[in-house]
Amino acid sequence: MRFMRFGSKVLDVKELTPTVKHLRFSTPEDFIYNPGQFISLLLDVEGKEVRKPYSIASAPHPGFVELCVKLVEGGVGSTFLHNLKTGDDVKFIGPMGMFKVVNTSVPITFICTGTGIAPFRAMIPQLLKEGHTNVRLFLGFRFEEEILYTHEFKELAKQYEGFEFHFCVSRPHGTYRGETGRVQPLVEKHSKDYEGDFYLCGLFDMIKETGAFLSSKGVDKKHIRFERYD
């Protein structure tokens, strides 16, 4: 699959949380990608081209891609993206990356925290649409105001019997009454077995801890795939 440089326009901007925006960008008619891949924002910084990669957060659809972007203090790419308005022009290169579902004949479990949900928001609807019947998602957040896309996954769980969805908040406050704690205990609580393949996405510490947890449950490393966000 080839990648391309292309100009794009901002089609829509939504503020999901105080620090996370969901953005839709136009794409060329011949732009094709696999769920799980990323595109890189192209920026001119003091006369030098700078690339900032972002996972595509939407299943393949002609004419657009969506990104889920957390504002990082001092982050050149995230600051630029958070300042965009509908109609603004941007430049990208992509698609790139090898983070994709490799075996659809086994149970598939996705585990992530925060904006690590982005590639899974692309992968999961595609899998379910194609008829995969054993898909689970475990999603962790720090605070309830950081919760992302849970309404979408709840609807998918109602629509598809083969999809199971759980999320938790590690530092709850206010009126939150859902599941609490870290994502690894959430997986343990709702897992009868550890069959199939596991896909992880998040920061390094989360990847390391979750990988160690799965290994302790007898999951071979060849069945654990991950995408780091730092």
Side-chain angles (χ1 to χ4, degrees):
M1 181 178 295
R2 67 185 182 90
F3 62 84
M4 63 175 71
R5 290 173 176 261
F6 60 93
S8 174
K9 283 190 178 293
V10 180
L11 301 178
D12 190 35
V13 180
K14 291 186 175 71
E15 185 175 287
L16 301 184
T17 78
T19 60
V20 176
K21 287 191 175 182
H22 178 97
L23 303 103
R24 177 176 289 188
F25 297 94
S26 65
T27 57
E29 292 183 3
D30 55 347
F31 181 80
I32 300 171
Y33 65 94
N34 290 318
Q37 290 192 294
F38 65 88
I39 56 175
S40 285
L41 173 68
L42 299 178
L43 295 173
D44 186 318
V45 179
E46 297 180 351
K48 294 183 179 181
E49 182 181 86
V50 174
R51 299 184 180 186
K52 295 294 180 180
Y54 294 94
S55 293
I56 299 172
S58 53
H61 189 285
F64 71 83
V65 295
E66 295 172 336
L67 303 182
C68 175
V69 182
K70 181 178 179 64
L71 182 62
V72 178
E73 185 176 354
V76 175
S78 67
T79 299
F80 175 86
L81 291 171
H82 270 245
N83 286 328
L84 290 174
K85 303 179 296 297
T86 301
D88 285 348
D89 294 315
V90 292
K91 293 180 180 180
F92 291 107
I93 187 170
M96 291 177 278
M98 299 298 295
F99 189 54
K100 61 182 180 180
V101 174
V102 295
N103 185 358
T104 58
S105 66
V106 299
I108 298 173
T109 300
F110 299 100
I111 306 172
C112 59
T113 53
T115 53
I117 188 58
F120 300 155
R121 187 176 181 268
M123 291 174 171
I124 290 170
Q126 187 79 2
L127 284 170
L128 297 176
K129 184 178 179 181
E130 292 173 354
H132 197 78
T133 58
N134 198 335
V135 180
R136 301 187 302 166
L137 170 63
F138 296 96
L139 178 54
F141 303 99
R142 289 185 302 170
F143 308 112
E144 54 259 49
E145 59 265 29
E146 295 180 342
I147 291 174
L148 303 169
Y149 304 122
T150 55
H151 63 289
E152 295 183 5
F153 292 112
K154 287 177 180 178
E155 288 303 313
L156 285 175
K158 291 178 183 178
Q159 184 178 354
Y160 295 95
E161 292 184 3
F163 177 54
E164 181 182 339
F165 169 56
H166 303 278
F167 74 97
C168 61
V169 172
S170 61
R171 303 179 190 176
H173 57 81
T175 60
Y176 177 76
R177 295 293 181 269
E179 298 206 58
T180 60
R182 305 186 72 176
V183 73
Q184 295 86 2
L186 184 73
V187 176
E188 186 167 31
K189 177 180 178 181
H190 294 284
S191 296
K192 296 178 181 179
D193 59 57
Y194 294 86
E195 301 293 329
D197 290 340
F198 293 79
Y199 295 81
L200 318 180
C201 189
L203 300 179
F204 172 74
D205 286 346
M206 175 269 180
I207 298 293
K208 182 178 179 181
E209 292 171 11
T210 305
F213 163 76
L214 293 173
S215 294
S216 75
K217 297 298 182 180
V219 180
D220 192 290
K221 288 184 178 180
K222 67 182 180 182
H223 293 294
I224 303 173
R225 301 175 65 85
F226 62 87
E227 184 92 314
R228 280 180 52 184
Y229 272 15
D230 59 349

